[in-house]
Amino acid sequence: MSAPLLTVEDLNVSFPGRGGITRAVRNASFTLGRERLGIVGESGSGKSTTGRALLGLISHPGVVTAKTMRFGSDDLLACTESDWQQLRGRRMSMVMQDPKYSLNPVRKIGQQIGETCRLHLGSSRKDAEQRTLAMLEAVKIRNPDMVYHLYPHQLSGGMGQRAMIAMMLVAEPDFLIADEPTSALDVTVQNEVLRILDDLVRDRGMGLIFISHNLTIVSSFCDRVLIMYGGKIVEECAAKDLHKARHPYTRALIAAAPSLDVQRAELATVTRDPEWLL
Amino acid sequence: MSGNLTQWLMSEAPASRRQAVLGNAWRGLLAIVFNPAALAGLCIVAVLVLMAIFAPQLAGGISPIEQNLASRLAPPSAEHWFGTDELGRDIYARTLHGARVTLTIVMLVSVVVAPVGLAVGTFAGYLGGWIDAVLMRITDIFLAFPRLVLALAFAAALGPGIENAVIAISLTAWPPYARIARSETVTIAKSDFILAVVMQGASTWRVLFKHIVPLCLSSVIVRLTLDMAGIILTAAGLGFLGLGAQPPSAEWGAMVSAGRDVILDQWWVATIPGIAIFIVSLGFNLLGDGLRDVFDPKSS
Amino acid sequence: MITVKDLSVTFQNSGRSIHAVRGVSFDVAPGETFGIVGESGSGKSTVLKAIAGIIASSSSALEVDGRSAAKRRSREERRLMQFVFQDPYASLHPRQTVDDILREPLIIHGIANLDEKVSAAIADVGLSPQHRFRYPHQLSGGQRQRVAIARALILRPPILLLDEPTSALDVSVQAEILNLLSKLRRSYSLTSILVSHDLGVVAHLCNRIAIMQLGRVVEVVRAGDLRVGAVSQAYTRELIAASRGFTRAVT
């Protein structure tokens, strides 16, 4: 693989609070090429915080430090707020869990996506409309002309998430973070949305960070997986080898999930070892 | 000792119901105390209460109604800290005693308004259907009365006095509480924890009083505290118009009214009670904002 | 234990009627755990709420414990079944301690020995006595769900209705709650109905499973048949395939 798209070394995110400092991410190091990288963990593992830190979205009083945080030729650690605004949307983007909260409820879908084009690509009104329609088609929305003129509440969950993906990808970013993009969707819709994401990532040669709590989805969708626990990356492995994972936490997580394939009288529970955080 | 008590109150694992309730109250109190504006409000209201209770002592034995025509309209001095009014009465003593009148009005109005609003609102919200429709239309009717005009009509019909002022204020003050309580109830009634008690076989009354009312109470208290300023101002307004407390009793609104004629030459007669009204209204507003922050579940 | 015949639920929404459940029938034997699986909008939770009598429904027969369940349930009838909700953050009263929450059903039914019963219920669901006087906001999601289960079981109902009891929880906490439910089911010989969108969860806990789609039961299968894919409907197969994860191959 050529030079990685993203290089992160010793990323730390901490939030000062009344009871002392909470370290949400501890010394996380990883790289991302033009591939699908999964980050798995339970709530509080720091997986979403890691994603937000990569987009410069940790707001006061959170503190982000790292030895290295490079995106292509840009040093993310030296970015000012206006640099971030240049990067976000244009070169890096994020799809979130619930389209209900990420789309503006009082503006039409087409207008919102078109605005992204005009803002980041400097497209003309007409060009923006064409790109928007093409993008809606690319996310397999059956009649883009109709959806263009709809408001977010008129779309189903799966459609909304597609529109969201369309909006995030219309400026053709190099790198996309998807934070639980399918958790609010039904299983059958989930796979359709994943397929769309998969095609777009492959066709456009993007790097994707896929954040999820669902081991099954991550192991079947991604190329590589990072397992986070308490802010630390405890294990990194190829997605297809996840069942061979060595870290006791990863193993316990796999054994704790009830599965159709294995029948267990009792599910394994996770016995947490404080040494995992050392 | 105090360290132990704090620890006992802040314990994450209270050992009795009393400790849990007190601990929760303690955390609420801390939240108010650590909010400067709310603390200021709390202090002002506390001073008002102390002033009302200890008015005779604080006035140093000076009667608020004793006239001394020889020293009328005297400016503030060592003898009369806030000066005297047109009948030579000590304004300092009158302002202190005025706190009693104000506090009486505020308390009477709260005692009437909060329970009535709460009852009407929670009934309407929980029972729904025609009961809701009827109760809320009645609320709308009362909401349509202009407060001061109704108060004037009442005073005119029943004769001026504090009691009638309280009735007039209460009659027009309860509808907003009914509305708040209703909208909260509608949301709460749909929640799972209410369904859970219904499934346990709780009667409608039990659900209403034990589970819904305590949750509506906080927003009603916040609203009441914020409304206090308005109530005090209305009471003062009625006093100013001569329809509230009657002479010779010391009431801030009436005192401002009396000072009106001499406001340019003897400014203190109207200004001192005016400042009192201002500070107390501000205090209740600050306290209300603070309480809202404390009761807001999202803040935790 | 539970007989449901031709159950239908219709909601009125701004003048339009929405048929959330259409003609659903099934039986649940004593001691059985019956699963209902489906996607959002399939009406699975609605069926459960109709059986619980917290929403209006019509049916040719709805029998619980051999007796016809009335539209308006009496206090005694309520005692037959209890409900565990999906969201542990919304199902506990925010201003009541665990103790208050567990005491309430006992008070309603005029049961003596409150203290003893409450501490037994707390121990039963694996909480420690120090949780007893905490408020819900001082508990984790898993602990809250344990409180909700304790509240449901404190009246010793023969039937437990579970509406996605673990879908708001992390995998490791889900495992603990599912294990707890299996244990309690054995010790109190409970009959239960479990609603979930997760095939793994229902297959783990249930004997038989109804698959619902758009308000109807598509088919009822045994858990073993579901595991090996011995199902007759295409929709069920689709659900099974989807639950195994993402497949890159074009279908």
Side-chain angles (χ1 to χ4, degrees):
Chain A
M1 200 185 292
S2 57
L5 203 56
L6 186 77
T7 312
V8 178
E9 239 180 305
D10 280 340
L11 173 68
N12 278 288
V13 182
S14 43
F15 295 93
R18 222 186 276 175
I21 293 170
T22 312
R23 296 183 65 194
V25 180
R26 308 166 184 233
N27 300 328
S29 303
F30 58 93
T31 58
L32 173 78
R34 301 199 179 272
E35 58 175 334
R36 291 162 296 238
L37 175 67
I39 301 183
V40 191
E42 299 190 288
S43 44
S45 62
K47 54 186 196 302
S48 291
T49 313
T50 304
R52 299 185 145 260
L54 294 177
L55 286 173
L57 291 174
I58 303 291
S59 48
H60 185 80
V63 180
V64 182
T65 58
K67 206 192 263 170
T68 324
M69 206 157 98
R70 294 192 74 77
F71 172 52
S73 56
D74 292 290
D75 182 2
L76 294 180
L77 290 171
C79 276
T80 61
E81 189 48 39
S82 71
D83 293 338
W84 278 115
Q85 281 169 10
Q86 290 291 314
L87 284 173
R88 284 197 295 254
R90 176 68 190 92
R91 294 186 51 206
M92 43 169 70
S93 206
M94 185 168 189
V95 175
M96 275 172 291
Q97 178 169 352
D98 203 331
K100 265 193 225 102
Y101 301 116
S102 333
L103 292 169
N104 184 341
V106 295
R107 300 195 60 204
K108 290 177 183 168
I109 298 290
Q111 286 177 343
Q112 296 190 42
I113 300 177
E115 186 174 280
T116 314
C117 288
R118 283 164 50 197
L119 194 68
H120 294 297
L121 303 177
S123 319
S124 66
R125 188 175 291 265
K126 206 162 164 72
D127 183 42
E129 187 177 333
Q130 262 164 13
R131 276 176 186 272
T132 302
L133 288 172
M135 198 63 224
L136 286 174
E137 211 170 332
V139 294
K140 311 255 163 59
I141 284 178
R142 253 160 271 153
N143 25 14
D145 293 313
M146 192 187 84
V147 172
Y148 189 94
H149 295 287
L150 292 181
Y151 289 96
H153 72 266
Q154 294 170 305
L155 299 178
S156 67
M159 281 296 201
Q161 198 57 298
R162 284 172 210 211
M164 187 70 206
I165 293 173
M167 184 157 111
M168 290 309 163
L169 294 188
V170 73
E172 309 198 332
D174 294 326
F175 156 50
L176 178 73
I177 294 181
D179 190 355
E180 304 266 7
T182 59
S183 305
L185 306 175
D186 282 326
V187 272
T188 49
V189 186
Q190 207 166 37
N191 275 350
E192 287 168 34
V193 171
L194 285 178
R195 202 155 293 141
I196 290 163
L197 212 52
D198 190 45
D199 289 346
L200 291 170
V201 168
R202 197 175 37 213
D203 295 349
R204 300 180 183 210
M206 287 192 305
L208 171 72
I209 290 187
F210 187 91
I211 298 169
S212 175
H213 68 281
N214 190 322
L215 280 167
T216 320
I217 291 182
V218 170
S219 64
S220 57
F221 181 76
C222 297
D223 303 311
R224 264 189 320 138
V225 185
L226 307 175
I227 291 96
M228 288 191 76
Y229 171 76
K232 259 192 79 163
I233 297 177
V234 294
E235 181 156 17
E236 178 185 342
C237 64
K240 59 180 191 313
D241 297 331
L242 193 62
H243 59 279
K244 288 189 251 168
R246 275 199 299 274
H247 195 277
Y249 177 66
T250 318
R251 300 188 63 82
L253 267 194
I254 296 171
S259 128
L260 264 186
D261 302 314
V262 199
Q263 186 163 12
R264 299 185 182 93
E266 193 161 303
L267 296 167
T269 52
V270 181
T271 325
R272 288 171 169 76
D273 186 341
E275 271 188 24
W276 295 349
L277 291 178
L278 296 180
Chain B
M1 175 63 207
S2 74
N4 277 344
L5 182 64
T6 319
Q7 223 161 41
W8 184 80
L9 285 167
M10 294 295 280
S11 165
E12 279 296 312
S16 68
R17 180 171 325 132
R18 203 162 49 113
Q19 188 183 356
V21 170
L22 287 176
N24 219 29
W26 176 248
R27 279 188 206 99
L29 192 67
L30 283 185
I32 290 189
V33 170
F34 280 110
N35 178 339
L39 183 63
L42 187 69
C43 289
I44 292 172
V45 174
V47 166
L48 173 76
V49 173
L50 291 177
M51 267 169 67
I53 295 173
F54 298 110
Q57 288 84 344
L58 287 171
I62 302 171
S63 159
I65 52 172
E66 191 188 291
Q67 301 181 5
N68 181 359
L69 293 175
S71 61
R72 62 192 289 265
L73 295 174
S77 63
E79 196 186 343
H80 301 290
W81 290 1
F82 293 165
T84 59
D85 68 3
E86 77 284 1
L87 295 173
R89 295 175 295 196
D90 184 70
I91 293 181
Y92 173 63
R94 286 179 71 74
T95 307
L96 284 173
H97 281 85
R100 287 188 162 185
V101 180
T102 301
L103 207 62
T104 311
I105 293 175
V106 156
M107 283 200 317
L108 286 177
V109 171
S110 327
V111 163
V112 176
V113 160
V116 170
L118 207 52
V120 170
T122 48
F123 272 28
Y126 188 62
L127 300 174
W130 64 268
I131 298 179
D132 183 23
V134 170
L135 286 177
M136 290 327 283
R137 290 305 79 76
I138 294 176
T139 308
D140 287 343
I141 292 171
F142 275 93
L143 208 53
F145 284 129
R147 181 182 285 191
L148 207 58
V149 175
L150 187 77
L152 288 174
F154 253 92
L158 302 174
I162 293 185
E163 298 79 8
N164 293 336
V166 166
I167 294 173
I169 293 172
S170 304
L171 268 181
T172 50
W174 69 266
Y177 295 86
R179 285 207 169 167
I180 294 175
R182 179 183 176 273
S183 67
E184 294 235 324
T185 304
V186 168
T187 324
I188 296 167
K190 276 190 231 143
S191 56
D192 289 347
F193 59 86
I194 295 298
L195 279 183
V197 278
V198 171
M199 293 245 3
Q200 285 157 4
S203 64
T204 302
W205 294 106
R206 193 172 178 91
V207 173
L208 264 176
F209 290 114
K210 196 134 183 248
H211 299 273
I212 292 180
V213 168
L215 280 178
C216 297
L217 208 54
S218 52
S219 46
V220 165
I221 290 174
V222 169
R223 173 76 200 237
L224 198 61
T225 318
L226 288 172
D227 267 3
M228 282 306 163
I231 292 168
I232 290 169
L233 291 176
T234 311
L238 287 174
F240 185 85
L241 295 171
L243 297 169
Q246 290 306 298
S249 87
E251 198 274 335
W252 295 341
M255 286 164 69
V256 173
S257 169
R260 197 176 37 173
D261 299 332
V262 293
I263 187 131
L264 290 180
D265 301 320
Q266 283 86 24
W267 55 269
W268 57 89
V269 182
T271 310
I272 299 294
I275 291 174
I277 295 172
F278 169 76
I279 291 177
V280 169
S281 303
L282 183 70
F284 273 111
N285 266 335
L286 291 175
L287 182 64
D289 279 340
L291 285 176
R292 182 164 53 197
D293 293 343
V294 172
F295 285 135
D296 188 1
K298 272 166 286 183
S299 65
S300 71
Chain C
M1 196 70 176
I2 306 170
T3 305
V4 179
K5 225 178 234 152
D6 290 329
L7 179 78
S8 293
V9 178
T10 310
F11 293 122
Q12 297 294 332
N13 191 356
S14 50
R16 282 187 309 157
S17 342
I18 296 158
H19 299 277
V21 176
R22 314 159 185 236
V24 165
S25 308
F26 56 83
D27 293 289
V28 184
E32 187 183 11
T33 303
F34 187 78
I36 304 179
V37 133
E39 300 186 290
S40 51
S42 64
K44 56 187 192 301
S45 292
T46 313
V47 169
L48 205 63
K49 286 182 176 151
I51 294 171
I54 43 185
I55 55 172
S57 61
S58 66
S59 56
S60 52
L62 179 57
E63 282 171 27
V64 178
D65 201 14
R67 275 174 300 174
S68 180
K71 286 249 153 34
R72 281 190 73 90
R73 310 270 168 98
S74 70
R75 193 173 294 171
E76 281 316 300
E77 281 175 307
R78 293 273 188 214
R79 223 180 142 169
L80 277 177
M81 53 171 88
Q82 286 297 312
F83 206 101
V84 175
F85 295 89
Q86 168 176 5
D87 182 0
Y89 291 86
S91 69
L92 303 180
H93 196 291
R95 293 273 157 80
Q96 293 178 353
T97 61
V98 173
D99 183 69
D100 295 331
I101 290 167
L102 296 180
R103 223 168 246 273
E104 186 67 4
L106 299 172
I107 297 172
I108 291 170
H109 289 270
I111 293 166
N113 294 337
L114 289 179
D115 267 323
E116 213 173 287
K117 289 236 160 59
V118 169
S119 46
I122 288 173
D124 235 8
V125 293
L127 291 173
S128 71
Q130 58 166 350
H131 293 117
R132 182 165 174 177
F133 295 100
R134 288 197 196 176
Y135 287 93
H137 64 83
Q138 297 170 308
L139 301 173
S140 70
Q143 289 169 339
R144 284 162 179 246
Q145 203 60 309
R146 284 173 195 268
V147 174
I149 292 170
R151 170 180 64 189
L153 291 178
I154 201 163
L155 291 171
R156 295 277 171 274
I159 299 168
L160 189 60
L161 305 176
L162 304 155
D163 187 4
E164 303 254 20
T166 59
S167 64
L169 306 173
D170 273 328
V171 183
S172 59
V173 184
Q174 164 171 287
E176 291 166 14
I177 297 291
L178 291 178
N179 287 342
L180 172 69
L181 286 172
S182 320
K183 187 196 96 185
L184 293 170
R185 180 178 63 177
R186 272 196 309 277
S187 37
Y188 298 120
S189 30
L190 289 168
T191 306
S192 42
I193 302 183
L194 170 74
V195 162
S196 177
H197 69 281
D198 186 329
L199 287 182
V201 170
V202 280
H204 174 74
L205 218 55
C206 303
N207 308 93
R208 285 185 309 140
I209 295 135
I211 289 96
M212 283 191 71
Q213 184 189 22
L214 302 173
R216 293 178 202 281
V217 171
V218 176
E219 66 177 318
V220 178
V221 296
R222 310 208 134 269
D225 293 338
L226 192 69
R227 284 182 191 283
V228 298
V231 296
S232 58
Q233 299 296 316
Y235 179 68
T236 316
R237 262 182 230 117
E238 197 187 331
L239 280 184
I240 295 174
S243 79
R244 292 226 153 88
F246 177 70
T247 37
R248 194 151 278 128
V250 185
T251 45

